[in-house]
Amino acid sequence: MTQREQAAMICRMLGIPGGPILDMRRNPNSGMNNDTWIVRTAAGAYLCRVPGEGTGLFCNRMQEKRAYEQLSPMGLTDGLIGYDARTGAKLTVFYPGSRTCDPRSREDCRRAMRLLRRLHGCGARLMGVDNPHSRLVRYARIAEEAGAELAKDGRFRRAAARLWTLRGHFETPEAALRPVHADFLPDNVLIRPDGRAVLIDLEFASMGNPMGDLADFCHDASLSQDECAALLADYLERRPEQEECRELFLYCACVALMWSAWAAFKACAGGKDGAFFAGYRDRSIDYACAALDWMDGCPILRR
């Protein structure tokens, strides 16, 4: 079955509104985890997500479904039409003229940070509690079981050992937990034609430390040390203290190493994108090492 045929089957399974499919084309803004299709019917246009290979190993589909059910009515996400928790297939409203966040645009970054503050302060109690270090340990195990040899990479090994000694800093007290996206990449921030930003793809949404969401954005956009501090200032709406910058850099290091393990798994999975994921793995390890250096340049981390 081709991906197009799979997408059409998923649309039928989710009961796409508007009757027969009139047109279907690949979404040029598809992310690295999944494939998405723009589907048109007599009633309107929709986005159909086809889960990528192995994505179910890293996330909880029921958790994503419930996160959408909680956050969509608050206007924080794209409009959910249908969701199959068994497969992760998802159908949402398509907004013509929309685009993903450009991390090189200061205005787009400010829009993304306003959206992030709304998410963290919305009061929702999402399913599950997680943190980047726990995910790093899980993802590294999954990658090794798939044949990746991360332990043979000296940079990965040294960074992982350093983060292990700091693992206590990722244990957030229950009172400080907030609803987090946990995959807050620029490509997961959709900016509609009216300028309003919404979240898409809640595969990892849970309760956690807000700093992880900022770190996801920084790593994926390859922001420099100064750019990370500027993004934190946009989020806080004030000049960050050095201690807050240090915490962000710590999370950047952990998030980067976590995604390097995910990319190592994807590289082992084979296919035409194997070289791309190998490059993403190496870039992420480099970023983790750089972020640890940034952290070491800040005052001692307090607990």
Side-chain angles (χ1 to χ4, degrees), residues 250-264:
L250 172 64
Y251 269 81
C252 283
C254 193
V255 160
L257 212 63
M258 175 191 82
W259 287 120
S260 77
W262 166 82

Side-chain angles (χ1 to χ4, degrees), residues 27-168:
N27 178 21
N29 292 324
S30 290
M32 292 184 291
N33 263 325
N34 308 294
D35 196 19
T36 56
W37 294 77
I38 300 170
V39 180
R40 298 186 186 279
T41 71
Y46 308 92
L47 276 181
C48 177
R49 182 184 75 189
V50 180
E53 183 179 358
T55 55
L57 294 171
F58 295 89
C59 62
N60 183 319
R61 297 301 188 187
M62 181 55 71
Q63 190 166 316
E64 181 183 24
K65 182 175 186 292
R66 290 184 180 176
Y68 256 107
E69 291 169 349
Q70 290 176 266
L71 300 178
S72 185
M74 297 181 183
L76 289 166
T77 75
D78 51 344
L80 181 67
I81 302 297
Y83 192 104
D84 179 26
R86 182 179 60 84
T87 63
K90 176 170 65 75
L91 200 65
T92 53
V93 175
F94 173 67
Y95 305 102
S98 61
R99 60 182 177 82
T100 55
C101 172
D102 178 2
R104 297 301 165 186
S105 162
R106 293 301 305 140
E107 181 53 36
D108 275 13
C109 286
R110 292 187 180 107
R111 285 174 173 145
M113 292 303 102
R114 286 194 293 269
L115 174 62
L116 198 56
R117 287 196 302 273
R118 287 181 58 211
L119 170 65
H120 294 161
C122 74
R125 184 73 189 182
L126 301 184
M127 179 180 171
V129 176
D130 212 349
N131 69 67
H133 191 266
S134 294
R135 290 172 68 187
L136 165 60
V137 173
R138 293 200 306 271
Y139 291 11
R141 184 187 68 249
I142 293 170
E144 292 285 350
E145 290 173 352
E149 297 182 326
L150 287 168
K152 291 186 177 180
D153 187 310
R155 298 167 307 146
F156 181 93
R157 189 173 62 252
R158 287 189 294 273
R162 180 79 190 283
L163 289 168
W164 181 259
T165 68
L166 296 168
R167 63 189 182 281

Side-chain angles (χ1 to χ4, degrees), residues 32 184-186 213-223 228 231 251-253 255-260 262 280-281 283-288:
M32 292 184 291
F184 192 72
L185 318 182
D213 279 340
L214 277 88
D216 268 322
F217 193 99
C218 292
H219 160 251
D220 192 73
S222 296
L223 298 190
C228 289
L231 190 78
Y251 269 81
C252 283
V255 160
L257 212 63
M258 175 191 82
W259 287 120
S260 77
W262 166 82
Y280 191 90
R281 173 199 63 209
R283 180 187 75 79
S284 296
I285 295 173
D286 288 342
Y287 197 87

Side-chain angles (χ1 to χ4, degrees), residues 1-17 19-26 35-41 47-51 89-91:
M1 182 183 295
T2 66
Q3 285 186 315
R4 183 185 178 92
E5 290 170 338
Q6 185 181 7
M9 180 189 71
I10 288 172
C11 288
R12 291 192 296 272
M13 179 179 64
L14 293 175
I16 185 170
I21 295 172
L22 303 177
D23 179 58
M24 178 182 291
R25 60 186 172 86
R26 192 183 303 277
D35 196 19
T36 56
W37 294 77
I38 300 170
V39 180
R40 298 186 186 279
T41 71
L47 276 181
C48 177
R49 182 184 75 189
V50 180
K90 176 170 65 75
L91 200 65

Side-chain angles (χ1 to χ4, degrees), residues 230-247:
L231 190 78
L232 180 56
D234 287 340
Y235 175 79
L236 296 173
E237 297 185 296
R238 60 171 172 79
R239 182 184 178 89
E241 299 177 2
Q242 284 188 311
E243 174 65 16
E244 291 168 324
C245 289
R246 180 178 169 89
E247 184 180 12

